[in-house]
């Protein structure tokens, strides 16, 4: 009996510890991470001064107050390892600790980038064989977010593995290894997996310790690529939850390659997908329209909704699509998309709220128009421009 009780106590202890750890992990990225990343606009032309200027602009533009927090340095910061194997930043980043102090003094957080392979995608030093050491270095620098990009691990470790199963196992272990190394530092560091959606990462990304995982290859600043990526996310909603998000790649809003309607589609879709909102433009050179797109509080509230449910496609009728995201308290965000060719006229698209799971009259607000449409019973005819969207908040 005594022994039985002892075993029970031990098990309770183990479960308690497990749930404390789980709770800690889920608190990290409890809602999709928001911030900025250097890659889409600056690529390799990123340095200490530019990062500081982006942080200043994030505050001055009101983006921080709208919820954007992380300032993430992507690839090309890496220098050499010293005789002890400790990684140093290259000349573009003379003092990483001073930079992180600066970012933190602005009430923002700092992110960095590495690879499980020996080299990053840009050919810089990766973390292979130095995982614990690098995690410790990041913690000492005051890093809050790590994007861990597969790249050379594919060629150097996975391709020679002999079978797809063995390659998959190696990849999983490589991600777990860095997750454990980060956890060991005791510093909360968001762990962002980047391996372009291989092997249906949404099925195992959370078990590898990922707070988010890229579901696709790289985005670029064209409607075609954004559309291809965004609408390909249908069916993935089951795999996202608080602490663990599908990541269809960073935002291109403000980089200039898309029309306002197209950027509204980009923001709306990413919010419905509960995607990380990582701006990828130059925050020091934003038009008022770009600031308005990035900081629309109601759009951000959809993305950051505390229920933590990703939206999904519920109807497709030719080039018209309706996506729905359940929100806390029984409301739903509804995106009505018109994917017809840009030269066509705007369409009237029927939105039958009964088909979206509502009974009786509903209250409808058009978010981009900032207009309450009142109570609607039955079908609403949304006028939607080509490549554009009507984003609605529907309350029973
Ligand atoms: C890959 C990633 C990009 C970026 C580059 C950097 O292509 O998918 O997001 O990080 O590497 O080299």
């Amino acid at each position: 009996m005594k022994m039985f009780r002892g075993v029970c106590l031990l098990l309770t202890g183990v479960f308690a510890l497990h749930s404390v750890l789980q709770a800690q992990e889920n608190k990290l990225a409890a809602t999709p991470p928001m911030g900025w990343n250097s890659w889409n606009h600056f690529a390799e032309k990123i340095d200490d001064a530019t990062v500081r200027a982006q942080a200043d602009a994030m505050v001055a533009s009101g983006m921080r107050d709208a919820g954007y927090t992380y300032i993430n340095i992507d690839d090309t910061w890496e220098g050499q390892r010293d005789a002890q194997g400790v990684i140093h930043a290259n000349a573009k980043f003379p003092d990483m600790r001073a930079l992180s102090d600066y970012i933190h003094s602005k009430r923002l957080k700092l992110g960095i980038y590495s690879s499980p392979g020996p080299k990053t995608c840009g050919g810089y030093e990766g973390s292979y064989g130095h995982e614990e050491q690098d995690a410790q270095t990041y913690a000492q620098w005051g890093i809050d977010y790590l994007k861990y990009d597969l790249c050379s691990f594919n060629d150097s470790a996975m391709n020679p593995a002999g079978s797809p199963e063995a390659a998959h196992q190696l990849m999983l272990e490589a991600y777990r290894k860095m997750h454990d190394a980060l956890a060991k530092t005791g510093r909360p560091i968001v762990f962002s997996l980047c391996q372009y959606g291989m092997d249906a990462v949404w099925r195992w990304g959370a078990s590898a310790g990922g707070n988010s995982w890229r579901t696709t290859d790289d985005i670029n600043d064209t409607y075609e690529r954004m559309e291809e990526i965004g609408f390909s996310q249908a069916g993935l909603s089951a795999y996202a939850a608080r602490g663990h998000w599908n990541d269809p790649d960073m935002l291109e809003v403000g980089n200039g390659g898309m029309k306002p309607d197209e950027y509204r589609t980009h923001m709306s879709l990413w919010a419905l997908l509960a995607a990380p909102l990582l701006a990828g433009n130059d925050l020091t050179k934003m038009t008022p329209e770009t600031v308005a797109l990035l900081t629309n509080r109601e759009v951000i509230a959809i993305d950051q909704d505390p229920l933590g449910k990703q939206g999904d496609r519920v109807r497709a009728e030719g080039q018209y699509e309706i996506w729905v995201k359940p929100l806390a308290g029984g409301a739903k965000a509804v995106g009505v998309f018109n994917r017809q060719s840009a030269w066509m006229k705007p369409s009237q698209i029927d939105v039958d709220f009964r088909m979206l799971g509502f009974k009786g009259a509903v209250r409808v607000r058009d978010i981009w128009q900032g207009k309450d449409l009142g109570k609607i019973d039955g079908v609403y005819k949304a006028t939607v421009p080509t490549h554009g969207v009507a984003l609605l908040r529907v309350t029973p």
Side-chain angles (χ1 to χ4, degrees):
M1 190 61 189
K2 223 171 166 186
M3 194 165 122
F4 176 70
R5 224 182 291 144
V7 170
C8 283
L9 270 176
L10 184 71
L11 280 178
T12 316
V14 169
F15 284 132
L17 181 67
H18 180 75
S19 43
V20 167
L21 287 177
Q22 193 94 33
Q24 262 172 13
E25 290 202 348
N26 291 352
K27 232 162 84 195
L28 206 54
T31 59
M34 290 178 66
W36 170 88
N37 173 294
S38 58
W39 187 255
N40 284 357
H41 188 88
F42 293 95
E44 73 287 351
K45 292 192 192 65
I46 188 68
D47 56 19
D48 178 285
T50 309
V51 171
R52 286 173 193 245
Q54 298 300 312
D56 294 347
M58 185 174 274
V59 177
S61 63
M63 283 178 69
R64 182 190 63 188
D65 293 341
Y68 293 85
T69 304
Y70 291 95
I71 294 281
N72 292 348
I73 307 167
D74 208 279
D75 203 357
T76 80
W77 64 267
E78 307 88 341
Q80 302 303 317
R81 294 187 183 280
D82 63 23
Q84 282 70 47
V86 175
I87 184 91
H88 293 270
N90 58 37
K92 298 193 295 174
F93 291 91
D95 188 341
M96 234 8 140
R97 180 72 223 191
L99 177 58
S100 101
D101 287 345
Y102 183 78
I103 300 294
H104 292 141
S105 77
K106 304 257 151 189
R107 285 190 283 122
L108 295 169
K109 293 182 170 167
L110 185 62
I112 212 163
Y113 167 102
S114 190
S115 170
K119 293 281 174 227
T120 67
C121 293
Y124 290 75
E125 187 70 17
S127 290
Y128 184 75
H130 295 274
E131 293 81 0
E132 285 217 0
Q133 215 170 14
D134 285 359
Q136 292 298 337
T137 302
Y138 303 153
Q140 277 160 23
W141 284 345
I143 297 294
D144 307 292
Y145 184 115
L146 174 67
K147 171 172 168 182
Y148 208 43
D149 193 349
L150 193 71
C151 263
S152 67
F153 192 80
N154 209 348
D155 302 325
S156 64
M158 290 167 69
N159 287 347
S163 74
E165 292 75 21
H168 175 77
Q169 196 52 35
L170 285 173
M171 173 169 57
L172 197 73
E173 281 161 15
Y175 277 108
R176 280 219 190 101
K177 189 182 236 173
M178 185 48 104
H179 167 264
D180 294 350
L182 293 174
K184 209 168 155 190
T185 68
R187 186 176 174 83
I189 300 177
V190 171
F191 190 38
S192 153
L193 274 50
C194 179
Q195 46 79 280
Y196 339 111
M198 277 165 57
D199 295 356
V201 62
W202 42 88
R203 292 179 177 266
W204 53 268
S207 71
N211 295 113
S212 68
W213 44 83
R214 277 271 299 275
T215 52
T216 73
D217 209 339
D218 293 12
I219 195 168
N220 62 44
D221 189 22
T222 62
Y223 175 75
E224 288 65 32
R225 183 63 187 143
M226 182 279 294
E227 178 197 38
E228 183 184 11
I229 288 181
F231 290 103
S232 76
Q233 304 300 292
L236 300 190
S237 61
Y239 303 99
R242 283 169 73 78
H244 311 284
W245 309 102
N246 288 305
D247 172 11
D249 206 359
M250 302 167 294
L251 298 172
E252 291 284 5
V253 175
N255 278 330
M258 292 183 231
K259 303 218 166 65
D261 276 325
E262 299 174 335
Y263 279 141
R264 272 190 282 276
T265 292
H266 189 9
M267 279 303 287
S268 306
L269 203 42
W270 263 237
L272 288 162
L273 292 169
L277 296 179
L278 296 172
N281 57 321
D282 180 353
L283 305 185
T284 67
K285 294 195 179 83
M286 290 194 283
T287 62
E289 290 73 28
T290 295
V291 176
L293 276 163
L294 286 170
T295 59
N296 184 303
R297 295 293 203 280
E298 294 176 73
V299 178
I300 290 174
I302 293 173
D303 182 77
Q304 298 287 304
D305 185 80
L307 191 61
K309 284 235 183 287
Q310 179 172 334
D312 219 321
R313 181 163 61 202
V314 296
R315 285 185 73 72
E317 188 187 329
Q319 301 283 77
Y320 305 149
E321 294 196 14
I322 300 184
W323 289 61
V324 174
K325 180 184 199 281
L327 304 173
K332 288 178 183 177
V334 176
V336 187
F337 297 92
N338 181 356
R339 300 180 62 186
Q340 292 197 103
S341 304
W343 59 268
M344 293 189 189
K345 290 204 186 71
S347 297
Q348 281 217 325
I349 304 178
D350 283 354
V351 188
D352 186 341
F353 293 112
R354 286 162 305 199
M355 284 190 172
L356 307 182
F358 291 100
K359 285 193 197 84
V362 289
R363 269 191 297 125
V364 183
R365 180 170 169 78
D366 185 315
I367 290 180
W368 288 115
Q369 288 191 44
K371 219 164 80 185
D372 287 325
L373 304 177
K375 276 196 176 169
I376 299 178
D377 201 350
V379 178
Y380 170 62
K381 287 190 182 303
T383 306
V384 189
T386 56
H387 290 193
V389 59
L391 184 63
L392 311 173
R393 190 184 177 99
V394 184
T395 319

